[in-house]
Amino acid sequence: MKRVRGFTLIELLVVIAIIAILIALLLPAVQQAREAARRSQCKGNLKQIGIALHNYHDTYGYFPPGQNSQTRWMNSCPEGQCGQWSWGAFLLPQLELTNVYEALDVGDVELNQATNDATRRAVLQTPLQIFRCPSDTGPDLNTDQPVPSDAAAGGTNCDNGNCVPVATSNYVGSNHSHNLERNQWNGFMGRAVRLGPANNPSGRRRQNRMRDITDGTSNSIAIGERAWEIQGTRLQAAVVFGQNGDTGNNNNQGLVYAHGAGRWGINGTCNDCDRGFSSLHTGGSQFLFADGAVRFLSENIQHNNNGAINSTFERLIAIADGQPVEVP
């Protein structure tokens, strides 16, 4: 009589268990490899932004303004009644996005005028991958930080549906070592008010030049990351093109839309940590320094929020406090 060979139930269970163990060991390695690739691409984006910043400086003799208004001072800008172009919009030509820059008429029209126009609004709502970190899980449109859409018609605020979402960004300018500030900034991406077209040499401006970074370009943060959400805390990321006026979560004319400050530690999850720097990279965030280098800073970097510039993180943000420190 011919015997039929096969697996016993115990042998089958052992094989299944071994396969399950191998999969359990393999999946984390695959996920780590994917995150390493995403983090590398995120770093590449920051490097490209760094090159764009330097090209902008070579062209105009100064770095782009943190924010710009053609007709209004920032401190007379009611919520929902005006919008300002931010540094990301001014860098578009240096990022090989001249077509986007020209389609929006950046600086030649106010941001709220651009959002009123259907064609320009479509451009404002088109995601730009150079401003997105692949590790982040946020939406393409930033619904948490809408910009004005109908100021000329007398709109009052974004709560009344007067604003529209625009493309999300994961990169924010370094504004201040403590709070976000529109007047007393000490960071790389200071506030600016310019009257007239964005790149018109006439008008008032207050923008940083290379010579203003007296603590050294390799010791001064220019741009950092911000996540959409960490551990269930909504940090809102940022927006690419511009910002609203005075908002409920920031009393300095919407700086939170495109800027970060040092009062809040890296990857913090407090109620107002949406004004700081953060990422979904394990253990810290990546930062672009004024010399064009991209460095990873640990979330455990020395930091405090007592108002004085007396910690490593704060000193890396302040570009001219006379206390240069090496990147840890």
Side-chain angles (χ1 to χ4, degrees):
M1 180 172 140
K2 185 176 179 181
R3 295 184 61 187
V4 179
R5 298 183 59 85
F7 291 109
T8 66
L9 178 60
I10 293 177
E11 290 173 328
L12 181 61
L13 291 174
V14 169
V15 170
I16 292 174
I18 292 173
I19 293 174
I21 292 172
L22 291 175
I23 293 175
L25 293 173
L26 182 62
L27 280 178
V30 172
Q31 292 172 345
Q32 288 176 3
R34 288 177 176 174
E35 168 53 21
R38 291 190 291 263
R39 176 171 161 175
S40 178
Q41 185 176 341
C42 188
K43 181 178 182 179
N45 289 348
L46 283 169
K47 281 185 173 292
Q48 290 301 311
I49 292 173
I51 293 171
L53 284 172
H54 281 254
N55 287 340
Y56 188 103
H57 191 282
D58 288 345
T59 301
Y60 300 108
Y62 44 79
F63 291 109
Q67 61 177 339
N68 166 275
S69 178
Q70 182 177 351
T71 60
R72 281 184 182 256
W73 292 97
M74 303 308 168
N75 57 6
S76 63
C77 186
E79 179 181 358
Q81 294 190 32
C82 60
Q84 299 89 46
W85 299 103
S86 60
W87 61 269
F90 299 115
L91 277 186
L92 292 172
Q94 285 72 32
L95 292 169
E96 299 183 354
L97 292 168
T98 302
N99 58 326
V100 177
Y101 182 86
E102 292 178 346
L104 294 174
D105 289 328
V106 173
D108 294 323
V109 301
E110 294 282 15
L111 177 59
N112 57 279
Q113 294 173 330
T115 54
N116 284 339
D117 178 83
T119 301
R120 293 189 183 115
R121 182 182 296 191
V123 176
L124 290 167
Q125 295 183 329
T126 300
L128 298 179
Q129 294 307 310
I130 189 67
F131 287 97
R132 292 305 308 272
C133 179
S135 300
D136 195 67
T137 57
D140 289 335
L141 293 183
N142 197 322
T143 53
D144 283 9
Q145 295 179 340
V147 298
S149 62
D150 197 16
T156 56
N157 59 59
C158 290
D159 297 332
N160 293 337
N162 191 49
C163 297
V164 298
V166 295
T168 300
S169 172
N170 290 116
Y171 306 118
V172 291
S174 176
N175 169 261
H176 196 276
S177 57
H178 191 56
N179 283 320
L180 291 174
E181 297 286 350
R182 69 175 187 268
N183 289 320
Q184 303 300 322
W185 49 269
N186 64 8
F188 177 90
M189 199 63 71
R191 164 191 174 267
V193 172
R194 303 181 64 187
L195 305 179
N199 294 316
N200 188 330
S202 64
R204 303 179 184 180
R205 71 169 57 87
R206 186 169 65 190
Q207 294 164 247
N208 283 323
R209 303 171 186 264
M210 194 73 72
R211 68 190 183 199
D212 298 319
I213 309 174
T214 57
D215 285 352
T217 57
S218 63
N219 303 316
S220 301
I221 292 173
I223 306 289
E225 295 184 83
R226 184 184 294 150
W228 175 257
E229 184 176 85
I230 293 180
Q231 299 174 10
T233 298
R234 185 72 65 83
L235 300 175
Q236 302 179 312
V239 298
V240 172
F241 301 105
Q243 52 216 55
N244 188 11
D246 191 16
T247 63
N249 67 349
N250 177 22
N251 62 2
N252 276 299
Q253 276 56 54
L255 289 175
V256 68
Y257 281 49
H259 301 82
R263 176 178 177 179
W264 302 272
I266 298 173
N267 290 348
T269 56
C270 58
N271 289 335
D272 57 355
C273 282
D274 58 352
R275 307 181 197 184
F277 300 93
S278 55
S279 80
L280 292 184
H281 310 311
T282 302
S285 293
Q286 297 184 119
F287 290 83
L288 169 70
F289 282 72
D291 64 350
V294 178
R295 300 177 177 89
F296 185 84
L297 297 184
S298 169
E299 61 191 32
N300 298 316
I301 189 172
Q302 183 193 30
H303 166 264
N304 63 53
N305 60 1
N306 61 10
I309 306 175
N310 55 7
S311 70
T312 300
F313 186 47
E314 294 170 295
R315 288 168 180 163
L316 289 173
I317 291 175
I319 64 173
D321 67 323
Q323 303 180 81
V325 295
E326 294 185 4
V327 180

